[in-house]
Amino acid sequence: MILPTDSLMNIHPTLYRHPTADLYKPMALAGVVCTMMDTTVPGNVHKISQQHNALTITTQHAEARVWIYSPTIIRVNVSRHFDAQDHSFAVIQPPQGNIRYDDSPDELSIHTGELELRISKSPLRFNFYNADGILLSGDDERFGTMWQGEKFTNYRKLFKDERFIGLGEKTGNLDRRGSNYVNWNTDAVDYTPKSDPLYKTFPFYIGLHSGLTYGLFLDNTHRSFFDFGASTDHSMHWLGADGGDLNYYFFGAQGVANIIQDQTWLTGRMEMPPLWSLGYQQCRWSYMSAKEVLEVARNFRKLKIPADAMYCDIDYMDGFKIFTWNNETFPEPKAMIDELTAMGFKLVTIVDPGIKIEDGYKQYDEGVKKGYFATYPDGELYIGEVWPGRCHFPDFYKAEVRDWWGKSFDALTEPGVAGFWNDMNEPAAWGQNIPGIMRFGDKYMPEVRNAYGNEMSRGTYEGTKALLKGKRPFVLTRAAYTGIQRYSAVWTGDNTATDAHLLLGCRLVNSLGIVGVSYVGVDIGGFSGNPTPELMVRWNSLGVYTPMFRNHAMAATVMREPWAWGKQNEKIIKKDIEQRYKLLPYIYSSFYRSHQTGLPVARTLAIDLPFDELVYDEAYQNQFFFGDNILVAPADSHQREIDVYLPAGDWYRFGTDEKITGGDVISADAPLTDLPVFIRAGAIIPMQSIVQSTAEQGDGILQIHVWNGEGSTDFVYYEDDGDTYAYEQGAYYKRTISFNAETGNITFSAVEGTFTSRFDRIMIVSHGFGKTEDWICYNEPTEFTVR
């Protein structure tokens, strides 16, 4: 039944809210489907059946399917053209078995023990409740789900006190309430603190209201959109996409951390990264020759500034052709890499997806012959211009193309490259506007563009893992979709050398942690523009507490190496990089926790304190925890004193050991030599002496720093060889270190795993106990007393 807009009030008056009504209570007429301006709603429920672990609900114009993945995860798919292949680029877990449900004349009810899904039949609506019958989230009663052509929108309830966090790489405030966003992976050159969209798509958010939490992941790779009450007078929030299905996973666990654990269980967790990649990384577009790369590396060692990685940007290639070397400026790559290795450096090289059109170029000839490139609908190969000029683009959605791409990395792995930097993979072409009729196999680009970076990274990861024969590859990507953590680290793209970007970077990193991406970094100092010395120093000090610590800059900007800023600033930068290396045992253990649970290394305070109002205050929203026990309060390059919100409990200033009572806002000194960083009372933080790279053995002493506190605490210390996958077969060293606040005892559990620690002595370093001496024990201690 097709109705003009002015007939809606006569047929379905409760699509509009009566000015005196307190609630929206729609009343659908049985069998009536309202279609206005090509707008269609599913209609009422006609049939219910079970098949393939799914409950299928048929309406006049759609089918809805429901799956249970765990007691706290339910999937809902509402479709007019359901694809039986039901492929996901993100989800790796299967649903559970048959669904038990109760059927009444008005609704269906599904119970999991932790969640209850009530499905209204007339009209079709989905509402999620916790085990106590309290509403967590659900469809807006008036509108629910609608299509306008192929575009669908799901309108959802909005609670008065509701906040939203997540969506990954998005600008704006920590709390997304009152904002709207688009997901369309974009080469966002010169993006600003308000730009949207950026490079990555993570259509997952967490809602918080009434002391309750829930999560929602819209698994759809079309251009998608989210509006958190910004344009609806805060009467509802809404989400949707330009095509495909309303296909979402609802998470009902209580506690933000538990939702993140569920989401990363569903979409996968990161592997342990190579240890060297957690050290300091030096990059530039570009070091123009092997001679220049080696000179920079030698200067690090000469000045005794720790570092682990050097990068080659696009100019190492022959004419920007992927998997080639410039024979004039990089004539002997293996000799260069061997010298870097002797100095304790690894080399990371960039790769872009664009394959230059040039007869005789191996990857071009093979790709054309085997049909590996994207095409127009008539089969003509798509051509876009990027760095090499006219290029074809691999169809990474095909397994055989990913396999071919991965094997091509032997041109890099044979000389000894250990890290692989995937760039320009939104995919980017000059002019940005790649036509929507470009096809990857049987899929048009608008359907799968947002997953292109994932599939390229997957091919890179799988190929280099095989070529490295048991060694862990380091893979880095600019574009991504949910699930990228299984394959790659990410960075936040081409930022700018401003204080605003320094602070935005904190929010981007923390928001990426919410969506399951723990291994993330920013370009320290800003990619474009020239930082002041003060900005470079400040940003470097923040890099210590960023999961990936990489200095990177654009061509034609000032040189960014630590010694480029004058002797006094070099001294400060060196001290901070040394701090990063001291903390590596703590950082590596924190990555192990992320590998096990999905909880990020750098995490917004909202994970631990989701209903604390001050966490969302714009003055404090950039603060974050680094691991379990370190709180970082970012200051910009001009600030020498800042207000810091310290949550309840006692804290210690990391730089001075001053004890401070939390639960309030304090004024903290913020000199360039001492970023405001605080240690939670009772914290246990393993550290080491300064080394020049992770390849250096060091003095063999593992320092266990303990800060006095009133509550008992523990810390899981983890170690493995940092290089291979032997940890998957039990070759690791793990111990739980516990502090008993009542007795002052520090105890060590028995060692788990077969790996022999690289440390042969343990030093206990106490803070706030009134004692100044340290204790050293050989072999495997079990207990110390610090008071």
Side-chain angles (χ1 to χ4, degrees):
M1 185 176 189
I2 301 175
L3 306 171
T5 304
D6 60 5
S7 298
L8 283 173
M9 286 296 289
N10 297 323
I11 298 297
H12 204 322
T14 51
L15 281 174
Y16 294 84
R17 182 177 180 177
H18 191 278
T20 62
D22 293 325
L23 297 172
Y24 299 103
K25 294 184 177 180
M27 297 173 59
L29 298 180
V32 174
V33 177
C34 295
T35 305
M36 50 183 178
M37 300 172 59
D38 198 26
T39 297
T40 305
V41 298
N44 300 330
V45 174
H46 288 174
K47 180 182 175 182
I48 302 163
S49 61
Q50 280 207 43
Q51 54 186 350
H52 307 300
N53 296 335
L55 182 66
T56 300
I57 303 164
T58 304
T59 69
Q60 185 174 350
H61 285 270
E63 280 190 338
R65 287 170 174 80
V66 177
W67 296 262
I68 296 174
Y69 280 72
S70 79
T72 53
I73 304 173
I74 296 176
R75 177 187 171 195
V76 173
N77 180 294
V78 184
S79 174
R80 294 187 298 176
H81 314 288
F82 183 73
D83 184 350
Q85 292 183 352
D86 196 27
H87 172 73
S88 174
F89 293 101
V91 173
I92 63 171
Q93 300 292 349
Q96 293 182 354
N98 289 337
I99 298 175
R100 296 181 178 180
Y101 65 94
D102 298 321
D103 189 1
S104 70
D106 296 326
E107 70 176 16
L108 300 173
S109 181
I110 298 170
H111 298 265
T112 69
E114 297 289 334
L115 278 175
E116 180 185 5
L117 170 57
R118 300 177 192 171
I119 305 170
S120 300
K121 294 182 178 181
S122 178
L124 180 69
R125 301 286 186 265
F126 296 86
N127 291 286
F128 295 86
Y129 298 78
N130 68 9
D132 296 323
I134 301 173
L135 182 65
L136 297 173
S137 180
D139 290 337
D140 179 84
E141 293 176 334
R142 301 161 297 172
F143 305 126
T145 300
M146 294 183 175
W147 288 270
Q148 291 177 294
E150 290 301 310
K151 179 179 180 178
F152 70 83
T153 306
N154 177 226
Y155 297 95
R156 305 187 65 79
K157 290 182 171 69
L158 180 59
F159 293 84
K160 183 178 180 179
D161 66 336
E162 192 162 9
R163 299 184 187 275
F164 301 92
I165 59 175
L167 292 190
E169 190 184 70
K170 292 297 183 184
T171 58
N173 292 324
L174 168 62
D175 181 3
R176 307 300 189 191
R177 178 75 178 253
S179 298
N180 67 86
Y181 298 95
V182 172
N183 290 311
W184 186 244
N185 288 3
T186 300
D187 179 6
V189 62
D190 294 328
Y191 71 89
T192 75
K194 294 184 179 181
S195 295
D196 185 69
L198 298 182
Y199 306 92
K200 303 171 187 66
T201 291
F202 297 96
F204 168 71
Y205 66 87
I206 295 174
L208 309 109
H209 67 84
S210 314
L212 302 169
T213 59
Y214 71 89
L216 191 148
F217 166 42
L218 176 65
D219 191 8
N220 182 309
T221 54
H222 290 76
R223 185 196 305 262
S224 58
F225 39 87
F226 291 78
D227 187 301
F228 297 106
S231 58
T232 60
D233 193 30
H234 295 272
S235 64
M236 59 184 174
H237 71 284
W238 48 279
L239 56 93
D242 284 348
D245 294 348
L246 172 62
N247 179 50
Y248 66 85
Y249 295 79
F250 186 88
F251 300 85
Q254 291 310 295
V256 173
N258 291 327
I259 293 175
I260 293 172
Q261 290 188 61
D262 275 359
Q263 190 263 358
T264 54
W265 169 82
L266 185 72
T267 63
R269 292 177 181 146
M270 61 176 292
E271 293 182 343
M272 286 301 295
L275 177 61
W276 65 264
S277 69
L278 302 184
Y280 178 83
Q281 304 182 17
Q282 185 65 48
C283 184
R284 181 172 181 82
W285 173 29
S286 287
Y287 295 121
M288 297 300 295
S289 66
K291 179 181 178 182
E292 187 177 10
V293 170
L294 290 170
E295 285 177 351
V296 172
R298 292 185 194 115
N299 216 30
F300 273 101
R301 297 298 176 245
K302 176 184 175 182
L303 298 172
K304 295 190 180 302
I305 299 173
D308 262 88
M310 291 293 301
Y311 276 67
C312 284
D313 208 319
I314 55 175
D315 293 286
Y316 79 91
M317 302 176 214
D318 175 17
F320 305 128
K321 296 193 294 288
I322 311 304
F323 309 122
T324 67
W325 295 86
N326 186 316
N327 289 328
E328 294 184 4
T329 53
F330 291 85
E332 297 181 40
K334 185 177 186 305
M336 174 189 70
I337 295 171
D338 286 347
E339 187 170 343
L340 287 172
T341 301
M343 290 188 284
F345 282 94
K346 301 289 187 182
L347 184 68
V348 182
T349 53
I350 198 169
V351 290
D352 297 342
I355 301 293
K356 185 175 183 179
I357 298 172
E358 180 180 290
D359 290 335
Y361 169 34
K362 181 175 184 286
Q363 277 67 39
Y364 168 72
D365 292 341
E366 290 178 349
V368 170
K369 180 180 179 180
K370 296 180 180 180
Y372 285 169
F373 297 133
T375 69
Y376 287 109
D378 62 359
E380 177 186 349
L381 293 176
Y382 170 73
I383 298 173
E385 290 197 32
V386 281
W387 297 113
R390 299 169 71 244
C391 287
H392 297 320
F393 291 79
D395 181 357
F396 291 115
Y397 301 99
K398 296 178 181 176
E400 62 268 28
V401 178
R402 294 193 301 272
D403 182 64
W404 163 76
W405 172 263
K407 288 177 179 176
S408 298
F409 279 88
D410 61 359
L412 302 177
T413 58
E414 285 185 6
V417 175
F420 312 94
W421 171 20
N422 296 250
D423 199 12
M424 304 289 288
N425 55 348
E426 290 72 33
W430 303 153
Q432 300 275 3
N433 197 22
I434 296 175
I437 58 172
M438 200 225 314
R439 288 171 64 98
F440 298 102
D442 61 349
K443 297 177 174 62
Y444 288 100
M445 191 197 65
E447 179 182 351
V448 292
R449 177 186 176 97
N450 286 337
Y452 192 80
N454 266 36
E455 295 304 282
M456 178 185 175
S457 300
R458 178 183 178 183
T460 301
Y461 161 76
E462 291 173 346
T464 57
K465 182 178 180 180
L467 290 168
L468 291 177
K469 301 184 186 308
K471 299 290 184 70
R472 305 175 205 170
F474 169 65
V475 179
L476 180 64
T477 184
R478 187 170 79 177
Y481 181 72
T482 301
I484 189 61
Q485 65 273 6
R486 303 196 301 269
Y487 312 122
S488 181
V490 307
W491 94 104
T492 60
D494 298 342
N495 59 356
T496 303
T498 65
D499 283 292
H501 269 268
L502 177 148
L503 298 176
L504 171 64
C506 296
R507 296 196 300 282
L508 294 177
V509 167
N510 296 340
S511 186
L512 283 160
I514 292 170
V515 300
V517 184
S518 187
Y519 199 2
V520 58
V522 303
D523 285 347
I524 301 298
F527 174 71
S528 64
N530 291 318
T532 65
E534 293 79 10
L535 179 58
M536 195 68 207
V537 169
R538 182 69 91 196
W539 214 326
N540 184 80
S541 69
L542 195 59
V544 174
Y545 306 99
T546 304
M548 188 183 79
F549 190 4
R550 184 179 81 149
N551 176 328
H552 181 43
M554 184 178 180
T557 61
V558 298
M559 301 303 287
R560 301 286 182 82
E561 294 74 25
W563 52 84
W565 306 96
K567 284 298 182 182
Q568 186 58 37
N569 290 325
E570 176 191 324
K571 182 178 178 181
I572 301 170
I573 292 171
K574 177 181 178 180
K575 172 187 69 72
D576 285 330
I577 296 174
E578 289 175 341
Q579 180 77 317
R580 172 73 171 205
Y581 280 78
K582 290 178 183 178
L583 284 168
L584 278 177
Y586 173 79
I587 294 171
Y588 199 66
S589 296
S590 298
F591 268 90
Y592 172 72
R593 185 180 183 198
S594 188
H595 162 65
Q596 290 288 300
T597 68
L599 290 174
V601 174
R603 61 189 74 143
T604 168
L605 272 59
I607 293 177
D608 290 342
L609 304 165
F611 298 103
D612 188 326
E613 293 287 329
L614 285 178
V615 165
Y616 304 95
D617 191 304
E618 291 186 29
Y620 318 115
Q621 65 176 347
N622 298 319
Q623 295 181 195
F624 60 94
F625 291 118
F626 189 64
D628 290 338
N629 296 318
I630 297 176
L631 187 151
V632 181
D636 72 29
S637 67
H638 303 286
Q639 294 173 303
R640 298 298 176 265
E641 184 176 358
I642 63 170
D643 287 341
V644 176
Y645 173 51
L646 291 179
D650 290 333
W651 299 83
Y652 293 83
R653 179 75 182 246
F654 200 10
T656 64
D657 258 0
E658 175 192 3
K659 186 177 180 180
I660 305 164
T661 299
D664 205 348
V665 175
I666 68 163
S667 178
D669 291 337
L672 288 177
T673 54
D674 187 17
L675 182 73
V677 177
F678 303 86
I679 307 297
R680 193 192 306 271
I684 300 166
I685 297 182
M687 297 174 66
Q688 65 181 9
S689 299
I690 297 169
V691 291
Q692 294 305 300
S693 77
T694 58
E696 184 179 321
Q697 185 63 33
D699 62 9
I701 300 174
L702 177 65
Q703 303 169 13
I704 304 298
H705 291 252
V706 183
W707 280 262
N708 195 9
E710 296 181 359
S712 296
T713 57
D714 54 46
F715 183 87
V716 176
Y717 172 74
Y718 177 86
E719 194 181 339
D720 59 32
D721 65 20
D723 191 39
T724 75
Y725 290 91
Y727 71 91
E728 295 180 344
Q729 284 73 50
Y732 56 82
Y733 179 98
K734 183 168 72 170
R735 307 184 78 173
T736 299
I737 307 169
S738 302
F739 166 61
N740 186 311
E742 184 175 341
T743 65
N745 287 349
I746 298 169
T747 57
F748 293 75
S749 72
V751 175
E752 297 180 39
T754 61
F755 182 73
T756 300
S757 173
R758 66 176 58 84
F759 301 101
D760 57 16
R761 286 161 290 170
I762 289 180
M763 173 186 290
I764 305 296
V765 182
S766 60
H767 302 262
F769 288 93
K771 295 183 177 182
T772 57
E773 68 268 25
D774 302 326
W775 297 263
I776 295 183
C777 179
Y778 291 82
N779 300 319
E780 296 178 358
T782 58
E783 184 171 283
F784 286 90
T785 301
V786 290
R787 72 158 83 95

